[in-house]
Amino acid sequence: MAAVGLAAGLGLWAADQTALATAAWVAGVLPVLAALCIEIVRSLLKGEVGLDIVAALSMAAALLVGEALAAAVVALMYSGGTFLESFAEGRARREMRDLLSRVARTATRHRNGQLEEIPLDAIDAGDLLLIRQGEVAPVDGTVEAMQAMLDQSALTGEALPVRLSRGMAVMSGSTNAGAAFDLRATARAADSTYSGIVRLVETAQRSKAPMARLADRYALLFLAVTVALAGAAWWFTGDPIRAVAVLVVATPCPLILAVPVALVAGLSRAARFGVLIKGAKPLEAMARIKTLIVDKTGTLTDGRPGIVSITGTGALSEDEVLYFAASLDQASQHPVAQAVVAAARARGQTLPVPTDVIETAGEGVAGRVGDRDVLVGGTGFVAAQTGPEAPGVEEPGAVIVAVAVDGRAAGHLVMADALRPGIPALLQALRRNGIDRIVLATGDRHDVAEALTLGLGLDGVKADLTPDRKVQIVVDARKTGPVMMVGDGVNDAPALAAADVGVAMGARGAAASAEAADVVLLVDDLGRLLPGLIIARGARRIALQSVAAGIGLSVAGMIAAALGYLTPVQGAVMQEIIDVAVILNALRALRIDPGRPMIEADERVRPMERRAA
């Protein structure tokens, strides 16, 4: 309506119909002014004083002094600015909108030898679902085929499809990039990874940044300065037109638009890299972090045992020791046994089905692999049946798995929860990007924590911690500046909530850590923290640059108008140009590239991303 009124008035003015032109301009201004006044009243009733008051004053004053054309330009500027803000936020939210649009509505389930289409709410844990090529996994589950090829880019940011074998976990929201396969549901749709992510995204979209609140907080000051300058121009010159020109140039669209556009763009950009920030407030807080506190298990480490070394004590090679141990451990559900099986399969070993298996809970397993008798378990369990053997190398926090074949000691496996690949390089890169202090806070034993972090250059190692003591460490650290806490377990949730920014590893289901955290790394890879940090700092910097440039130009224009160098129409056009420039600058947050700093920090950080694929 503002655009039509302005265009019609210009056409009539060109046809020398001055009175009709003025009427057209007024007709275009009044709807915008009325809507703006309604918004101002609503804000005042809530106890908020917004910067929109300046825009309303400029339009009303221009109409009162007969500057209808200037009022029409301001009306178009304000309504156009609102439209541009909506357009820019829509552009910035595109990645999140794409994430939400991928929610499946129905699923195909195997039932009594036939396939049936069912709504998502009807899926139960244990159901066998068919996932066709191009379809999205509707719930969390495990692969029931020999293998499956999945595109997890919408969830984790990994560009390459991931190949999963039978029994491996599938995150809901992953797209089938290969042949159709069967998925065994392990959770209901409402409890699955993707539903949790969608809930976090919806929360993020409803947030309001503290910088935006800061703009509203100083609205009265900006309004007072504007009215004082306009009044001074009128008082000293006796010309009300100069006061109107000051009000027109002072319309504070740069401060209103720049902050939300830049920060929402930052949220969208971070989501593209697998970092889901729950709102503009934690994004801005993340940009100011100086102290990082990290948990150990599942954060610096994988959180599950892996083979550190294999030693053969007889005629068998390391691969043969692993082969016999893994073959027999297929019959056990113990986490250590499953880790041994996974390690053997990762080396490409084909494992036969064991027979005559007898498991002694918590001690070990006995059985036959082919025509060989095999024992796998603790050193005491195996030694009791084969006789003493040379002790393995003891390491803090390590588990020794002994292996015997045909009644003779064959070797042992050293199992431990080792550091994730690239952690030293990642910590160095974080320090290069503004983190001054890094502290480990873990509930594990102190000797294990010290041995694991040796050489990492941490500023402190706090071990043997209960959840409440973790909270106290976070609270104490906040006295010296903003603190970020990273963890993955339920015991980390209180500390995550206490920190300025809590970061959870992974977003599976409704885990307490993910619910309490401000930021969720959508793939269990601590390396994603670096791009998230870089994007947060970049988005905040761009927001501040946009505000400073926009308000600086507006103030310069106000002074020029007060001195008589700008007419109201010229001031309105100038402010429109400033608005467009500010919005375009804020959208630069969509192009923040955190990849280069990761590579420059240390090439060893890159294997963490390849590992996730």
Side-chain angles (χ1 to χ4, degrees), residues 205-220:
Q205 290 179 330
R206 291 193 295 266
S207 71
K208 185 179 182 183
M211 286 177 66
R213 287 194 289 270
L214 184 67
D216 294 339
R217 190 182 309 155
Y218 287 98
L220 276 176

Side-chain angles (χ1 to χ4, degrees), residues 73-92:
V73 174
V74 173
L76 179 61
M77 173 185 68
Y78 187 83
S79 57
T82 303
F83 169 77
L84 286 175
E85 179 183 13
S86 299
F87 174 80
E89 288 196 4
R91 170 72 175 82

Side-chain angles (χ1 to χ4, degrees), residues 198-232:
V198 169
R199 288 194 294 270
L200 296 180
V201 170
E202 290 170 342
T203 300
Q205 290 179 330
R206 291 193 295 266
S207 71
K208 185 179 182 183
M211 286 177 66
R213 287 194 289 270
L214 184 67
D216 294 339
R217 190 182 309 155
Y218 287 98
L220 276 176
L221 176 61
F222 189 85
L223 174 62
V225 171
T226 300
V227 172
L229 188 57

Side-chain angles (χ1 to χ4, degrees), residues 165-178:
S165 302
R166 181 186 295 276
M168 297 184 71
V170 176
M171 288 189 294
S172 57
S174 303
T175 302
N176 183 9

Side-chain angles (χ1 to χ4, degrees), residues 9 179 200 209 273-274 325 364 409 433 477 492 496 500-501 513:
L200 296 180
F273 284 84
N433 284 276
D492 297 320
L496 295 178
D500 294 280
V501 178
S513 58

